[in-house]
Amino acid sequence: MIQLPLSKLSNVGTTIFSQMTQLANENEAINLSQGFPDFMPDLELLNNVDHFVKKGFNQYAPLGGMIGLKEEIARKIENSHQSSYHPDSEITVTAGGTQAIFTAIAAFIKKDDEVVIFEPAYDCYEPTVELFGGIVKRFEMKAPDYQIDWTVVKSLISDKTKMIILNNPNNPSGKILTEEDINELIQLVKGTSILILSDEVYENIVFDGKEHLSICKYPELKERSLLVASFGKLFHVTGWKVGYCAAPKALTDEFRKVHQFNVFCVNTPIQLALAEYMKNDEHYLHLNQFFQEKRDFLRKGLSGTSFELLDCEGTYFQAVKYSKISDKNDFDFASELTINHKVASVPFSSFYKNKINENVIRLCFAKKQETLEKALENLSKI
Ligand code: GLN
């Protein structure tokens, strides 16, 4: 056997999402762990794919994406945030949000560059920064309100800081950034060349009439930002792996230098299908309401149990505290919940480098009514 080289990611195993889904499947549990809908996307969108595949659009797309889709993305951003990006030179279609994040980090982070992240954090940020020799500086947001103390964030900034990664709305906490947060951020980066990678894949899932404050609304931030979004979340097609990155031309140019060797381009017929579907704004304007009903149903059902509900301002995840039920750590609790009570969740500690355990788990409510009912039936018995 050959001597294998040292692992580049020695602390990394299989993602918690794959682990919990596997555990759910092995135990025939209701899967509220990995974030994906268990209902069908709109038939009109599926028919569009069928149409373009059969019409013969089955070869490579241009590396930045099909122009029709990029134009629709630019139109959506303009309508939603009154911010314009040039469709051809400032928008790149990617193989999902995760690839956009990977590519953005790969394009800009070199050895010893520092990157500030906010935990609980989506699991791909830190390993990707590490792969390119970067150093992560983390601010830990804590239960129950996951507030950001900007004085502490400021202390993490140095002349080595190359990038700040935001996730707004935040997966897994469901928190959204406020005007005050944005103002603090503007002050923080003013006069620096710090870049911002803004993961906004849940931008259209914000509740109670609150406004999603996209990074692109603020010229001082937009000029230094790579904005990432996802069609998987927007149209219930997480398995299609299509998203995009919007960024000023100079940043997009660098982004595409990596993108072309990373995936080259994203599959053609699905881009065409999405472009056609996006012509009708009605297809996404009511997403907030759609998911708010699911969130409220889950929250109402849980309110009669010993689980404590944390706030959920956005995303399709509800965070719950279980300390009245068990003092086990969240990983053991989530495993037992899957095995014994047949409901799979994601332990919050997996979103912290230091595995901070605050007895909180994440439940995904992007599910059919009957799935949520069954899960609530099981959870009510605990
Ligand atoms: N974004 C989804 C989640 O948070 C899953 C992504 C994945 O499985 N890699 O659950």
Side-chain angles (χ1 to χ4, degrees):
M1 230 188 48
I2 65 149
Q3 173 89 40
L4 289 175
L6 269 185
S7 170
K8 288 187 75 179
L9 292 172
S10 53
N11 297 322
V12 170
T14 306
T15 86
I16 190 70
F17 310 112
S18 306
Q19 277 186 54
M20 293 312 295
T21 285
Q22 189 183 342
L23 194 67
N25 293 343
E26 283 165 9
N27 289 280
E28 293 178 15
I30 301 157
N31 190 0
L32 305 190
S33 64
Q34 195 174 21
F36 63 89
D38 70 344
F39 43 85
M40 281 291 272
D42 189 352
L43 194 59
E44 183 183 329
L45 178 57
L46 305 184
N47 284 339
N48 287 352
V49 178
D50 185 62
H51 170 80
F52 287 110
V53 167
K54 289 181 181 154
K55 267 204 118 182
F57 293 95
N58 299 300
Q59 309 309 327
Y60 294 127
L63 80 89
M66 300 299 285
I67 187 63
L69 181 57
K70 293 191 294 183
E71 281 168 357
E72 284 301 322
I73 294 168
R75 197 175 67 79
K76 177 177 186 292
I77 298 176
E78 179 80 56
N79 288 349
S80 316
H81 311 300
Q82 300 73 51
S83 175
S84 40
Y85 287 95
H86 190 279
D88 209 26
S89 58
E90 300 190 312
I91 290 171
T92 309
V93 180
T94 61
T98 305
Q99 185 244 311
I101 291 161
F102 188 96
T103 300
I105 293 171
F108 295 101
I109 299 305
K110 296 196 292 286
K111 190 167 164 6
D112 297 334
D113 283 342
E114 294 183 359
V115 178
V116 174
I117 70 167
F118 296 86
E119 292 187 338
Y122 188 52
D123 66 346
C124 74
Y125 306 151
E126 173 138 7
T128 311
V129 170
E130 262 180 38
L131 266 182
F132 296 95
I135 296 162
V136 169
K137 299 280 168 183
R138 57 190 76 80
F139 174 80
E140 289 162 346
M141 302 182 286
K142 297 278 184 62
D145 51 12
Y146 300 95
Q147 297 284 1
I148 299 174
D149 180 339
W150 288 95
T151 330
V152 177
V153 178
K154 200 170 172 189
S155 72
L156 302 177
I157 304 284
S158 76
D159 54 6
K160 290 194 177 150
T161 310
K162 186 72 164 286
M163 180 183 273
I164 296 175
I165 304 182
L166 299 174
N167 178 207
N168 178 35
N170 177 266
N171 172 13
S173 74
K175 282 289 286 186
I176 58 173
L177 293 180
T178 61
E179 281 285 357
E180 290 76 53
D181 289 321
I182 298 282
N183 285 335
E184 293 281 359
L185 182 63
I186 291 173
Q187 294 313 317
L188 193 70
V189 298
K190 205 184 216 162
T192 73
S193 35
I194 297 172
L195 301 175
I196 296 172
L197 171 54
S198 191
D199 172 357
E200 301 184 19
V201 299
Y202 298 99
E203 61 168 347
N204 282 85
I205 313 177
V206 173
F207 307 124
D208 305 315
K210 291 197 172 128
E211 194 192 347
H212 166 67
L213 302 177
S214 176
I215 207 81
C216 66
K217 285 174 99 80
Y218 306 89
E220 313 92 306
L221 299 178
K222 180 183 175 180
E223 61 173 5
R224 58 180 77 236
S225 294
L226 298 115
L227 165 61
V228 170
S230 149
F231 290 109
K233 310 297 183 303
L234 192 65
F235 296 137
H236 320 306
V237 288
T238 62
W240 289 8
K241 297 300 299 174
V242 185
Y244 56 90
C245 173
K249 183 174 183 310
L251 296 179
T252 294
D253 286 348
E254 292 304 315
F255 181 93
R256 286 191 189 163
K257 285 184 194 174
V258 178
H259 178 79
Q260 66 185 337
F261 299 128
N262 187 359
V263 291
F264 180 61
C265 69
V266 174
N267 86 74
T268 306
I270 285 193
Q271 289 194 58
L272 291 168
L274 287 167
E276 191 61 33
Y277 193 67
M278 281 184 85
K279 287 182 182 160
N280 182 353
D281 300 348
E282 291 293 306
H283 286 147
Y284 59 81
L285 285 180
H286 309 291
L287 203 63
N288 290 341
Q289 186 58 31
F290 175 77
F291 278 120
Q292 184 160 327
E293 281 165 22
K294 294 190 179 296
R295 180 202 67 166
D296 291 348
F297 181 76
L298 180 69
R299 286 179 73 88
K300 187 154 182 280
L302 286 172
S303 65
T305 70
S306 300
F307 289 99
E308 288 168 71
L309 294 160
L310 303 189
D311 283 351
C312 174
E313 299 175 309
T315 75
Y316 43 50
F317 303 113
Q318 173 65 54
V320 296
K321 210 164 162 64
Y322 62 82
S323 33
K324 288 194 183 145
I325 300 169
S326 167
D327 56 10
K328 293 220 159 72
N329 74 47
D330 62 357
F331 190 82
D332 291 345
F333 182 78
S335 303
E336 283 186 21
L337 197 65
T338 313
I339 297 163
N340 300 335
H341 300 281
K342 307 290 176 208
V343 179
S345 60
V346 178
F348 254 55
S349 63
S350 52
F351 298 96
Y352 292 97
K353 170 84 169 179
N354 297 325
K355 303 288 161 236
I356 294 173
N357 169 44
E358 296 189 287
N359 298 345
V360 179
I361 55 170
R362 188 193 84 172
L363 300 171
C364 173
F365 53 80
K367 304 294 167 188
K368 293 188 279 231
Q369 178 76 7
E370 62 183 270
T371 308
L372 294 175
E373 277 168 18
K374 276 193 213 143
L376 281 171
E377 202 182 305
N378 293 5
L379 294 172
S380 303
K381 290 186 193 135
I382 299 169

